[in-house]
Amino acid sequence: MLEGFMKESILGRAQDKGIVEIYVHNLRDYTNDKWKRVDDYPFGGFAGMVLQCEPIDNAISALKAERDYDEVIYVTPDGERFDQPMANSLSMYENIIILCGHYKGIDQRVRDHLITKEITIGDYVLTGGELAAAVITDAVVRLLPGSIGDDESALSDCFQDNLLAAPIYTRPADYKGWKVPDILLSGHEAKIKEWEIEESLRRTKELRPDLLDE
């Protein structure tokens, strides 16, 4: 699920440029079970299946033997909400492990003893944590200098200042009578910047007033 995604677009180019290294590991490679099983039924008679301690511990231990890691992240619906400030913080780290849960999740002892940070991308449940890991990876890698063509572009994205971005337009200036705001065609940088800030605040108040409360 992840290998193809990690080779595409910005993530692929960032790896080709040597800006970032991304490795996908299969927990089945770290189990001692002859059938390569990594899950089992939960104690207590609860429904579903749970990822076992041993393969996760083996995987994390093997990775830590190769290098130091700033965070060992577990993506889970009950984790801390992922947002742009968190992406900014993670982009400053050297090495990160992201553990993808599956089925009903992972043995709680892994969370208690091996995980340093738990993250959710939203208040909903996915079949596995792979998609959440892909979202986090994309959001973080695009912030690394050189990953996108214009580094300034990432700094003007939504949520960087806890605000939504202002509207953007491109050619033609008049399409079917739908016109670009005159200020954007004026060439007056100071007034354009003022318009951008005003529009950013207006859209945030209208669409996401909760961001202003934060």
Side-chain angles (χ1 to χ4, degrees):
M1 181 183 291
L2 288 173
E3 286 177 344
F5 176 80
M6 297 300 179
K7 296 176 182 177
E8 298 296 327
S9 188
I10 290 173
L11 294 181
R13 291 196 297 271
Q15 292 175 84
D16 291 341
K17 292 179 180 179
I19 296 170
V20 66
E21 295 178 357
I22 302 174
Y23 300 99
V24 178
H25 300 273
N26 189 337
L27 283 179
R28 296 186 190 279
D29 296 333
Y30 296 92
T31 180
N32 294 317
D33 182 87
K34 66 178 181 179
W35 305 111
K36 297 297 182 183
R37 289 176 297 197
V38 297
D39 63 311
D40 208 334
Y41 293 101
F43 288 123
F46 300 106
M49 301 292 284
V50 180
L51 291 178
Q52 298 172 300
C53 288
E54 184 186 59
I56 297 174
D57 186 20
N58 289 344
I60 293 174
S61 296
L63 295 176
K64 283 187 171 182
E66 297 175 356
R67 67 188 73 184
D68 294 327
Y69 286 89
D70 299 285
E71 295 280 13
V72 179
I73 296 169
Y74 172 50
V75 285
T76 173
D78 56 352
E80 181 183 357
R81 188 185 68 179
F82 184 68
D83 56 17
Q84 193 62 47
M86 188 185 296
N88 293 342
S89 296
L90 293 178
S91 72
M92 303 299 292
Y93 292 159
E94 290 292 325
N95 299 301
I96 299 170
I97 293 174
I98 303 179
L99 174 63
C100 304
H102 211 67
Y103 312 116
K104 290 295 288 185
I106 64 176
D107 191 300
Q108 181 63 38
R109 290 168 291 184
V110 173
R111 302 174 72 168
D112 293 340
H113 299 285
L114 301 177
I115 301 302
T116 64
K117 191 176 187 66
E118 299 186 342
I119 297 176
T120 180
I121 61 169
D123 296 338
Y124 46 86
V125 178
L126 300 170
T127 302
E130 294 86 358
L131 294 177
V135 167
I136 293 168
T137 302
D138 185 274
V140 170
V141 170
R142 69 188 309 279
L143 294 171
L144 302 179
S147 291
I148 59 179
D150 182 358
D151 291 337
E152 291 295 321
S153 177
L155 297 178
S156 62
D157 285 340
C158 283
F159 308 115
Q160 282 292 7
D161 297 315
N162 238 33
L163 297 173
L164 300 183
I168 54 174
Y169 303 85
T170 188
R171 295 178 178 81
D174 187 338
Y175 177 72
K176 292 185 177 181
W178 309 339
K179 297 182 179 181
V180 172
D182 291 338
I183 185 63
L184 298 180
L185 307 176
S186 69
H188 196 300
E189 292 187 10
K191 289 185 177 180
I192 291 174
K193 185 62 179 178
E194 183 179 343
W195 174 89
E196 180 185 21
I197 294 172
E198 290 175 352
E199 285 296 302
S200 181
L201 284 168
R202 180 189 64 78
R203 295 190 73 243
T204 304
K205 288 178 182 178
E206 181 179 317
L207 302 173
R208 290 292 305 276
D210 56 297
L211 292 175
L212 297 176
D213 293 337
E214 294 176 6

